[in-house]
């Protein structure tokens, strides 16, 4: 209700929101998983996947206040750990690279936002209050109060200032380091072109 401006009532969220249903089913499945009834746990999680389009492995560890908005295509792996009050958008994968054993999936701190289509792959930590931009592919650790952008993702630090709270749900207004670098190269090319033009003009004047 706090983080989705489209939510009109608690009844609507309870009965109609796929993200809420998926997390509710996960809580049940996780109880069976922790009590070594893994077949029942997987049965519940797979049934929830068919109903909601969201696959949460019953072995994952999820804190309070997880908000999955829309949620279609979300995949959360077995050894994933998610802190409190995180926000995940549709088509997000919290998965592994296929090369690791044991702890294979990421750990998200508190108040983390993961934008639409982002892929977080590997057994590393995403720090508290971090933001992962839409479409990013994160393959290494993200510090606290930082933003990961691009493919592969690069870290954009907010110079000593904590980023805006993830409750603002802003997946767009983030700095793109790749675009910044391209702009820098373009500026250098323009300077070189200008220098060459001046040199050519001076040469012509000298010849005349």
């Amino acid at each position: 209700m706090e983080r989705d401006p489209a939510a009109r009532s608690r009844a609507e969220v309870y009965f109609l929101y796929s993200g809420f249903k998926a997390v509710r089913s996960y809580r049940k499945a996780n109880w069976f998983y922790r009590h070594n009834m893994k077949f029942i746990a997987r049965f519940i999680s797979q049934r929830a996947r068919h109903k909601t389009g969201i696959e949460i492995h019953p072995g994952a560890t999820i804190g309070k206040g997880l908000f999955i908005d829309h949620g279609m295509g979300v995949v959360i792996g077995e050894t994933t750990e998610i802190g409190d009050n995180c926000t995940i958008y549709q088509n997000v994968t919290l998965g592994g690279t296929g090369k690791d054993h044991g702890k294979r999936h990421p750990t998200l701190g508190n108040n983390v936002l993961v934008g639409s289509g982002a892929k977080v792959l590997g057994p590393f930590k995403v720090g508290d209050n971090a933001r992962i931009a839409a479409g990013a592919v994160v393959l290494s650790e993200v510090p606290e109060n930082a933003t990961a952008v691009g493919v592969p993702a690069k870290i954009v630090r907010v110079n000593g200032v904590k980023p805006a709270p993830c409750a603002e749900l802003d997946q767009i207004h983030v700095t793109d380091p790749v675009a910044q670098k391209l702009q820098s190269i373009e500026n250098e090319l323009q300077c070189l072109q200008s220098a060459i033009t001046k040199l050519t003009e001076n040469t012509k004047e000298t010849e005349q």
Side-chain angles (χ1 to χ4, degrees):
M1 293 296 294
E2 291 175 355
R3 281 178 272 170
D4 185 2
R8 297 196 251 318
S9 70
R10 292 180 182 276
E12 182 180 36
V13 172
Y14 187 88
F15 290 107
L16 303 178
Y17 272 47
S18 59
F20 182 80
K21 289 181 179 180
V23 173
R24 197 171 64 208
S25 294
Y26 155 78
R27 301 292 183 197
K28 296 176 185 176
N30 180 253
W31 187 91
F32 284 102
Y33 189 88
R34 287 186 288 107
H35 288 81
N36 205 31
M37 291 180 273
K38 293 184 170 59
F39 182 87
I40 298 175
R42 287 289 283 171
F43 177 82
I44 293 171
S45 70
Q46 290 301 300
R47 190 174 178 207
R49 173 178 176 263
H50 287 298
K51 285 186 173 182
T52 65
I54 300 169
E55 182 169 354
I56 306 176
H57 194 286
T61 302
I62 299 176
K64 65 181 181 181
L66 173 63
F67 173 41
I68 302 177
D69 194 13
H70 297 291
M72 180 61 70
V74 166
V75 177
I76 299 175
E78 179 182 11
T79 60
T80 301
E81 298 176 41
I82 301 175
D84 297 337
N85 303 313
C86 292
T87 301
I88 296 175
Y89 282 86
Q90 66 270 18
N91 206 30
V92 163
T93 299
L94 304 179
T97 61
K99 298 179 180 179
D100 302 295
H101 300 280
K103 173 68 169 148
R104 308 184 304 280
H105 305 102
T107 296
L108 273 57
N110 300 323
N111 306 307
V112 172
L113 181 144
V114 187
S116 303
K119 313 299 177 189
V120 187
L121 307 175
F124 52 82
K125 175 76 181 288
V126 176
D128 294 348
N129 306 304
R131 293 187 297 168
I132 297 173
V137 178
V138 184
L139 301 173
S140 59
E141 186 168 337
V142 178
E144 294 184 1
N145 306 316
T147 302
V149 180
V151 182
K154 298 181 183 298
I155 303 302
V156 180
R157 291 186 180 276
V158 180
N159 302 321
V161 179
K162 182 177 178 180
C166 69
E168 292 185 5
L169 308 180
D170 188 353
Q171 306 177 69
I172 300 172
H173 300 102
V174 291
T175 305
D176 186 346
V178 177
Q180 287 183 329
K181 188 64 177 178
L182 290 173
Q183 184 62 52
S184 175
I185 293 171
E186 184 178 350
N187 292 340
E188 291 180 12
L189 287 174
Q190 288 177 351
C191 289
L192 289 172
Q193 184 64 47
S194 178
I196 292 171
T197 301
K198 288 181 180 179
L199 180 62
T200 302
E201 291 175 352
N202 291 337
T203 302
K204 289 181 179 178
E205 290 178 358
T206 302
E207 290 176 351
Q208 290 175 354

